[in-house]
Structures are given as structure tokens and as C-alpha cells.
Amino acid sequence: MTTYERDATPLELPWPFAGREDELELVRRALTGGRRGIVVTGPAGCGKTRLVTEAVRGTDCARAAGTPESRALPFAAFAHLLPETVTLHRAGQLLAGVRTLVVDDAHLLDDASAALVHQLAVHGRTRLLVVATDGTPAPGAISRLWTGELLPRLTLEPPAQEEIAQLLTAGAGPLDPLTAGRLHRLSQGDLRLLRDLLGAVRGRLTHVPGTGERAWRGPVPLTTAVRERTARVLGRACPRERETLDRLAFAEPLPLHLDDADIGALEVLETDGLIRVDDAGTIRLAHPLHGPVLRAAAGRLRARRLARTPDVYAAALDTESAALAHRIDLADVRAVPTPVGEWLVAEGGTLPCGYAAVRARFARLRGELRDAAAWAREGLRGTPSDASCQDELDRTSVLLGEPAVDIRGDLDALANLADPYDAVRLGAPEKVIDRLTGVFARHADALTRADGPALDEVAEELERRGFTLFAAEAHAQAVGAHRDPRAARHSRTRAVALARRCQGARTPALSGLVLGELTTRQRQIVTLAAAGLSNRQIAERLTLSIRTVGNHLYSAYARLGANDRGALPWLTEMPEAQPA
């Protein structure tokens, strides 16, 4: 049986700043020229303070911060910068010489401090970086900074899973996609919680054989931060509601049948935001951390009474597997909930190879290639000789540019495989066109006729059905088929955007994504940006101003049909494998 080797190397936290490149550049630009600053808002823990800190790194600035305890004390946030007794007018005069002022947790400022920040923004002599949390009441003087258009507002969203994976890689090295996905779900985009969880599991990471990745399997560590995060919420439940929460904690991720549930308690819990009910009637706890905390708090006898038996999970896995196979048969691989399989893997259980193979195939068809490889490995971990999981792992390796057997050189043999659509994707549609149906047949026909618009239409249909990689390839094939250069640029843009979501896919169709006509300087800057250098790093290396680098990149984006720097690696060369 394959096992994961324990890694004894400790992680170094906190991790380096990663991602948010465009937002970072926007904040830095707000501190240049005649600009007066910017307000950064977003949900708690989404990285607002970290972003602002990185933006002013190496510069001379003053700092102030609001706190819940000091909201009743006038000018409490500025006590370290002002005399003991001061008027608003005098406070403004004393801080007028401050070139840059960072105000963190501005929603917690006392009224006098908030008024001072507002006055500084009105007079415009001090550049302000103001950070506030969305969803919490803020002093009127602070909210009027952006509603009154004194300062521009940048609203940060919680990091997407791809950004979380980038952060995890920067802080801990490559993690297997199931681990990265689990940490993303548990943290819900809260970077402080994410860092706490990663620090807690660092001694539990194990090497995944045959890869450079590490994995975490097993129970969620109940750190102080985890307990504090859940105590305030779970502590509101009365004994009757707590019994229902405990039952859900041990039933998750299985549906709780309404015929044996306390409907009144469920209604109260739903109103309080402690549970969620989906369209299928499945009831789940509102936050993925609630279940581990509730299960840990239960005694042995209570846990024995509430825990579900393995045969129940086996039946649920069969149901999930059948649902995935049915969607594949319908040529529709849009995401479907599969909580049982995810829970079993997360807890370190043995995954049945039949389920693992179907789950791997579903992920591969969606273009989630590293996820597909991880699911196949989970099946092989329990049954190393399983042919179906090994076949899925081999197919995924081909798409990642790591083939055990290179099938690209033998199209005649490929046409005889169980999946003739591969021949279309590799540029030989005439060999299999009569063996395909539906959108796959239309793809073969459009490619045979070199019909660019038809290939784009096929790509859009494939994307709607969830076939992200196939859609990227169809758009990429349309690039060379279009006669209109503008249509070709549009196809390339769509191919790039979709290929970025395919976790490092390297296929013949995607290798056709090439640079457009750029000047020598633009090509130089684009190459450095594609390698991951920031605008500031590029400017230092080429002895240019940051603004000049930004202008060259903006012009390059327009010529390449790209929307941001994240697309550049796909345009400058055949895509390299990216961390899942």
C-alpha cells in the first residue's frame, strides 16, 4: 500500500506576500503624484492590512488604529502622535506635516479620531491609507471618505481558491490539491484563520509519493483561534438546539432526514445562520469548522450514540459515484456536491477505488487536472493495483505534460481508444468524426472545415457544460482558423483565461498560444512579468520607472488580448505546470 512519508521540516510563518499584484499596484499608485490616498475595505481577514503594509514597505509613514476598547476616548487612535489635550483644529495642524498616514481598523475609531481623518482628507496635504471592515458600523466621518468622493475606494473580495493555493505554496511549498482545497474551505477566505490552520498542521504534512507535494489528512486541529472563532457562534444555542447541532455534526456530510429531526430547532438554527438548507433539502452546518469543534466537545458515549456507521457512508459514496457517472454520460460535468468523498479523504479514510476513479475522471474532464491526479492516487493508496485509477493517473499525466507513454505521436492508435474525442483535441478530427455525437461531433466538423466562428461557438458550449480544458483548446484552435485578426485575438484571450483554470495543462492545442507583435521593450517586460516579477522589480532590473513599466504592460495587454499579468505565462510559452 502506498503511504505518505512524514515531513519533519517545520514551516516558516508568516509567509511572504503573494498574489493581489494588481491591487498592490493600485494602492501604490494612490500614493504618487497629486493623489490623496485610498480607502481599502473588505470582509474581516481578507488581507486588507497585509496589502497596505506591503504597499508602504520601505517608506516613511505614520500609523494609527482603532480598537473596540478606546471608542469612547477622544483622539485615542492618535494618542501617540498628539498632545494629551487637543482640539480638532489643533490636531489637524499638528498632523498636517505627516506625508503618509496609515489608519487601520478605521471602523473602530472614536468619533474625534474619525473626524480628524476626515479633515485630513479634506485638506489633502496628507496622503491617507484607510482600512475598514465591511459589514460593521463605521463612524459617519469614515464612510463619507468614499461616499463623499474624498478618496477612492478599493473593495477586496475573499481570495479565490487559486489565490489561496498561491499563498499556501509561498508559505509552505507545494501542497496536494485536496489539502489546499480543504484549507480553503475551512478558512472561508479568512487569511488569519488560514495561517493559523496551516501552522497547526505543519507537523502533520506528509510527502505524496511521486510528486513534490505534501498532504494533510486527519482531524482538524482545534487551535485556540479555531475555538475562539466558533465559541461565540455556537454558544448562542440553547440545549434543544445544541442537541440538533450535535446530530448534524455527526451526520455530516450526510443529509439529516426531516422525519427524525426537530423541525422547530432547525428553523431557529436556520434563522440564526447556524445551518444552511440547499435546494435539495440537505441540511448542513453553516461553517465547516463547526462540525469538528462539536464532535471534539462530545463525550465518548454521546459520540457513540450519534456517529454514523460505515455502511451508511458506503451507501452515500455509491450515490455520489452514480451521480458523477450520470453527469459524465450526459456530457455535462458542471460541479456537483460530493461532500461524502471529500469528508472521507480529509479524515484519512480509505477511498474505494471505484469511487476514486469516477471522481478522478470527472475532475479530469472539468480540466481540474491536479485534483484528478490526487483523487486517482487516493484510490491507489487503498488498492495499489487498481487499473481504473492507474489509467486515470496516466491520462492526467499526459495532459500535464508528464506522460508515461507519449500518445501524441500515434494518432491512428489514438483513434482506436475508448475516447475518440482525444483525436479531435490533437488535431486529427477526420479519423473519428463519424464516431462522435453532439457538441463533440460539432467540434470535429468545425475543426475539419477550419471554421473559426464555429470553433468559438463549440468552445462556448463546452464551457457551459463544464469542460473547461476542452473549451480552452477549441478557442485556441480557433485562433489559427480566424481570418479576422480581432476575432483571433478574442479567441486567444478566451483560451488563455480558460487555460489558467486548468491547473497547469500542457496540450498541443494550448501550445499554439503565442506572443503577438510587440516592441523589443514590451517583449522584454512581458517576459519578466510572465516569470513572476512585480512592476517594481522589473523597473529596478531594467532601470525604468514603475510607471513606464506599467504603461508598457498596458500596451502589451491590448496587443496580446490579455486582461492582466496572470495570462502572460500562457501567451509567452507553452504553459508550465502550476501549483494546484
Side-chain angles (χ1 to χ4, degrees):
M1 178 182 295
T2 303
T3 58
Y4 295 160
E5 300 175 2
R6 180 75 61 184
D7 180 18
T9 304
L11 299 176
E12 295 182 2
L13 296 176
W15 50 58
F17 182 83
R20 306 279 199 194
E21 182 67 33
D22 292 336
E23 293 90 342
L24 179 61
E25 197 63 32
L26 182 62
V27 174
R28 282 175 171 164
R29 285 204 303 268
L31 301 177
T32 61
R35 298 180 178 89
R36 295 185 292 179
I38 193 169
V39 179
V40 180
T41 66
C46 73
K48 305 182 296 296
T49 300
R50 185 73 172 90
L51 173 68
V52 169
T53 299
E54 190 67 23
V56 298
R57 185 180 299 279
T59 65
D60 184 19
C61 64
R63 296 175 181 271
T67 63
E69 297 78 12
S70 62
R71 296 191 72 168
L73 303 175
F75 298 114
F78 294 92
H80 60 298
L81 299 174
L82 297 173
E84 186 173 341
T85 302
V86 67
T87 64
L88 176 61
H89 178 70
R90 181 57 179 159
Q93 290 179 326
L94 292 172
L95 293 183
V98 175
R99 183 176 181 182
T100 303
L101 175 63
V102 177
V103 183
D104 202 0
D105 287 333
H107 57 287
L108 298 176
L109 289 176
D110 59 273
D111 290 339
S113 294
L116 175 57
V117 173
H118 188 273
Q119 287 300 308
L120 292 173
V122 169
H123 294 299
R125 290 188 292 269
T126 299
R127 293 193 179 109
L128 295 168
L129 280 179
V130 181
V131 179
T133 298
D134 286 336
T136 58
I142 295 300
S143 60
R144 283 194 293 273
L145 291 176
W146 61 88
T147 59
E149 299 184 353
L150 288 172
L151 295 176
R153 180 187 185 187
L154 170 62
T155 301
L156 292 186
E157 298 294 334
Q161 185 163 349
E162 295 80 6
E163 294 174 310
I164 291 292
Q166 185 180 1
L167 284 171
L168 292 172
T169 299
L175 300 178
D176 90 308
L178 302 186
T179 298
R182 185 185 185 190
L183 287 168
H184 175 252
R185 288 192 300 274
L186 289 172
S187 66
Q188 299 284 285
D190 187 325
L191 299 182
R192 289 174 294 187
L193 180 58
L194 178 72
R195 190 171 69 182
D196 179 74
L197 287 169
L198 184 58
V201 304
R202 62 183 178 182
R204 310 180 189 191
L205 291 173
T206 55
H207 284 294
V208 180
T211 74
E213 300 170 341
R214 292 178 293 178
W216 163 47
R217 305 288 187 264
V220 175
L222 299 183
T223 66
T224 301
V226 169
R227 292 183 184 277
E228 290 177 348
R229 185 64 55 88
T230 56
R232 293 190 299 272
V233 178
L234 298 178
R236 301 200 306 260
C238 69
R240 175 188 173 193
E241 295 157 5
R242 183 60 179 262
E243 171 69 17
T244 301
L245 287 174
D246 283 346
R247 293 187 63 194
L248 279 170
F250 282 93
E252 278 196 320
L254 303 178
L256 186 69
H257 299 293
L258 290 178
D259 55 1
D260 62 355
D262 187 331
I263 301 300
L266 287 172
E267 290 175 351
V268 172
L269 291 171
E270 184 181 20
T271 301
D272 289 345
L274 291 175
I275 64 172
R276 295 192 181 119
V277 183
D278 63 21
D279 293 338
T282 301
I283 306 168
R284 307 203 63 183
L285 296 171
H287 197 289
L289 284 177
H290 291 170
V293 171
L294 289 167
R295 290 194 294 271
R300 289 187 177 182
L301 294 178
R302 189 176 185 82
R304 183 179 300 174
R305 174 171 65 87
L306 296 176
R308 299 303 176 108
T309 57
D311 60 303
V312 177
Y313 288 112
L317 284 175
D318 289 341
T319 300
E320 283 188 2
S321 181
L324 293 173
H326 180 62
R327 295 295 289 272
I328 293 173
D329 290 340
L330 293 177
D332 183 352
V333 293
R334 286 173 292 181
V336 295
T338 51
V340 183
E342 292 167 4
W343 178 86
L344 188 60
V345 167
E347 294 295 316
T350 300
L351 199 66
C353 53
Y355 176 92
V358 173
R359 185 64 188 268
R361 186 184 181 198
F362 193 82
R364 173 173 58 83
L365 293 174
R366 285 177 50 79
E368 297 166 347
L369 302 185
R370 298 197 175 279
D371 286 67
W375 285 107
R377 290 191 188 97
E378 285 297 325
L380 292 171
R381 190 159 67 94
T383 310
S385 60
D386 183 69
S388 58
C389 286
Q390 187 61 55
D391 177 65
E392 283 300 327
L393 188 57
D394 290 343
R395 285 177 173 269
T396 302
S397 296
V398 170
L399 297 175
L400 288 169
E402 307 163 357
V405 177
D406 193 340
I407 63 173
R408 288 174 289 185
D410 190 352
L411 293 175
D412 289 325
L414 180 61
N416 294 322
L417 293 178
D419 188 357
Y421 183 56
D422 284 345
V424 180
R425 298 173 46 240
L426 294 176
E430 66 283 352
K431 296 180 179 294
V432 296
I433 191 169
D434 58 344
R435 298 170 56 188
L436 298 170
T437 60
V439 66
F440 307 116
R442 295 202 302 275
H443 187 177
D445 176 65
L447 187 59
T448 301
R449 296 184 289 105
D451 189 331
L455 283 168
D456 282 333
E457 291 177 5
V458 164
E460 291 168 0
E461 176 64 19
L462 288 168
E463 182 183 0
R464 282 194 294 270
R465 291 171 175 262
F467 295 100
T468 305
L469 175 58
F470 299 164
E473 291 174 326
H475 275 307
Q477 290 168 336
V479 173
H482 277 300
R483 297 180 180 179
D484 182 352
R486 290 175 298 179
R489 285 196 297 271
H490 175 75
S491 297
R492 183 174 56 203
T493 300
R494 291 301 305 147
V496 167
L498 293 172
R500 290 174 61 194
R501 293 158 48 188
C502 294
Q503 300 180 342
R506 293 171 59 96
T507 70
L510 297 183
S511 67
L513 303 179
V514 296
L515 285 169
E517 292 297 323
L518 299 180
T519 66
T520 301
R521 179 63 84 185
Q522 286 173 343
R523 186 181 298 273
Q524 190 178 26
I525 291 174
V526 162
T527 300
L528 293 174
L533 274 67
S534 68
N535 286 12
R536 182 178 295 273
Q537 291 170 322
I538 295 172
E540 291 173 353
R541 179 170 297 192
L542 301 180
T543 319
L544 299 172
S545 70
I546 297 177
R547 177 174 294 181
T548 298
V549 171
N551 290 339
H552 278 304
L553 277 176
Y554 182 82
S555 299
Y557 292 159
R559 292 195 180 191
L560 295 174
N563 293 323
D564 55 46
R565 70 196 305 117
L568 297 179
W570 300 97
L571 291 167
T572 56
E573 60 183 353
M574 188 172 179
E576 295 290 340
Q578 301 293 322

